[in-house]
Amino acid sequence: MDVFAVILAGGMGVRFWPRSREKQPKQLLKIFGEKSLLQQTVERLDGLIEKDHIFVITTRIQKAAIREQIPDIPKENIIDEPFGKNTAASIGLASVIIQKKCPEAITVVLPADHLIRDIKEFQRTIKTAINFAEGNSALMTIGITPDKPETDYGYIQFDENFIDSNIHKVISFAEKPPLATAERFIQAGDFLWNSGIFIWSVEAISREIKKLMPELHSGLVEISASLGKPDYQSVLVKEFGQFRSTSIDYGVMENSDEVYLVKGDFDWSDVGSWDSVFDLSEKDSEKNVRKGKVYTEKTSNCLIHTPNKFSALIGVDNLIVIETPDSLLICDRDNAGDVKHVIDYLKMNEMKDLI
């Protein structure tokens, strides 16, 4: 059995401004420890998938930085898209490239910017999904056992009857819910967090894209036919320009009858905002997370990242303070998700040097 990985690494991480920029996005930042989220994602696959079977799909503006961070991955395995068209197109492109190399391949698709510390349990769960996906038509995903009613995650409802070892049929997907709905999901007991991790054969995902997203499939057929030929880049640009921007969840997973899940009991976070970083980081005696020369007085529950200059916080609570050489963010932690609005403002006011 040939198993490949597809790491999705094209996002900008707009909620992580001002540290996250177009050329140095969230997945390339060292947020937890001395390795970036991308490097940790690749490292998490050690012993599970060979380095020459790991593919990374990204944007052209990020490709050079990604190659620099993961030099052990063959340079031809770093795939750059001409335009960002969401995950259905990204996964489709990577799938046809891998299918050309190995028509029987199983692929593990995973985001580059998640935090998973229990690698042993993560790999055990992935192996269970791979074994089920081999030789059948299943589209597998990992559902994370929730420990609280989280409003920043999507949910998956599953049939509680076992198909096989820890494998369940998926009933439905739910978008990020309001708190009251999230609480009902937890109480019901048949909902898990949607991890955004997928496992399937390239043949199975190609079949479901053909059935549910025929326009995308048609373009991917043209791209596949041009692989290794002089006109590949021109065909890629032409076809990508016509793709709709659609997620794989919305385009395929929510509409397919072949979706199954494995329960994941490992610690997991999609590190969706600076507030997530606060939650996942060690706190000092005042319940602050700090990096840099920082003075605090009567201050608690703050995330302070000011490595370039001395900072002092007095008499404040629940703040995010992020400093870079050219920008400063001060935000209430409860509004951490709204940091993405800064990017809209910068674009509207033609301040592209800060994006």
Side-chain angles (χ1 to χ4, degrees), residues 176-197:
K176 298 175 182 179
L179 181 59
T181 303
E183 289 172 343
R184 287 200 299 272
F185 287 167
I186 301 300
Q187 291 168 2
D190 60 346
F191 283 85
L192 303 174
W193 288 336
N194 186 350
S195 69
I197 300 171

Side-chain angles (χ1 to χ4, degrees), residues 51 88 102 117 176 181 183 191 213 236 243 258 270 283 338 346 353:
K51 288 287 197 296
C102 180
R117 292 188 168 116
K176 298 175 182 179
T181 303
E183 289 172 343
F191 283 85
M213 303 185 71
L236 181 66
F243 290 159
E258 302 291 343
D270 71 352
K283 319 293 190 296
D338 294 335
L346 294 173
D353 55 318

Side-chain angles (χ1 to χ4, degrees), residues 296-314:
T296 59
E297 181 180 330
K298 300 176 183 176
T299 291
S300 59
N301 302 304
C302 292
L303 171 65
I304 310 152
H305 180 95
T306 55
N308 299 295
K309 55 176 65 74
F310 172 78
S311 61
L313 283 76
I314 301 173

Side-chain angles (χ1 to χ4, degrees), residues 25 44 57 73 157 212 247 254 267 316 329:
R44 198 174 298 137
I57 188 155
I73 304 301
Q157 185 181 23
L212 300 168
S247 70
E254 293 181 14
D267 62 293
V316 296
L329 169 70

Side-chain angles (χ1 to χ4, degrees), residues 133-334:
E134 184 188 13
N136 66 46
S137 59
L139 304 183
M140 302 294 301
T141 188
I142 307 299
I144 304 297
T145 304
D147 58 13
K148 61 180 177 179
E150 178 61 66
T151 59
D152 286 334
Y153 297 154
Y155 286 74
I156 307 173
Q157 185 181 23
F158 64 97
D159 186 329
E160 295 184 80
N161 296 311
F162 286 98
I163 301 293
D164 202 337
S165 175
N166 204 27
I167 293 169
H168 302 262
K169 189 82 167 69
V170 168
I171 297 173
S172 66
F173 289 81
E175 299 296 327
K176 298 175 182 179
L179 181 59
T181 303
E183 289 172 343
R184 287 200 299 272
F185 287 167
I186 301 300
Q187 291 168 2
D190 60 346
F191 283 85
L192 303 174
W193 288 336
N194 186 350
S195 69
I197 300 171
F198 310 107
I199 303 93
W200 45 51
S201 69
V202 287
E203 192 266 336
I205 189 60
S206 176
R207 183 199 63 245
E208 292 300 290
I209 289 175
K210 182 178 181 180
K211 182 194 303 182
L212 300 168
M213 303 185 71
E215 292 179 0
L216 174 60
H217 180 264
S218 177
L220 292 172
V221 168
E222 295 297 321
I223 293 170
S224 180
S226 72
L227 286 169
K229 297 180 180 178
D231 64 344
Y232 168 69
Q233 285 296 335
S234 61
V235 172
L236 181 66
V237 170
K238 177 187 173 184
E239 297 302 332
F240 249 76
Q242 298 177 64
F243 290 159
R244 289 183 293 117
S245 182
T246 306
S247 70
I248 198 71
D249 300 76
Y250 184 78
V252 174
M253 301 298 281
E254 293 181 14
N255 301 298
S256 173
D257 296 323
E258 302 291 343
V259 183
Y260 298 81
L261 66 76
V262 181
K263 282 187 179 181
D265 290 320
F266 49 86
D267 62 293
W268 167 89
S269 173
D270 71 352
V271 197
S273 68
W274 284 119
D275 193 44
S276 297
V277 175
F278 176 86
D279 289 338
L280 294 162
S281 300
E282 291 187 15
K283 319 293 190 296
D284 63 18
S285 59
E286 297 173 302
K287 298 182 179 179
N288 295 313
V289 177
R290 60 177 78 201
K291 182 171 182 179
K293 296 179 180 179
V294 179
Y295 171 81
T296 59
E297 181 180 330
K298 300 176 183 176
T299 291
S300 59
N301 302 304
C302 292
L303 171 65
I304 310 152
H305 180 95
T306 55
N308 299 295
K309 55 176 65 74
F310 172 78
S311 61
L313 283 76
I314 301 173
V316 296
D317 180 69
N318 213 53
L319 290 183
I320 294 167
V321 181
I322 309 293
E323 173 260 346
T324 65
D326 62 2
S327 302
L328 173 66
L329 169 70
I330 302 173
C331 172
D332 188 281
R333 279 181 42 224
D334 293 338

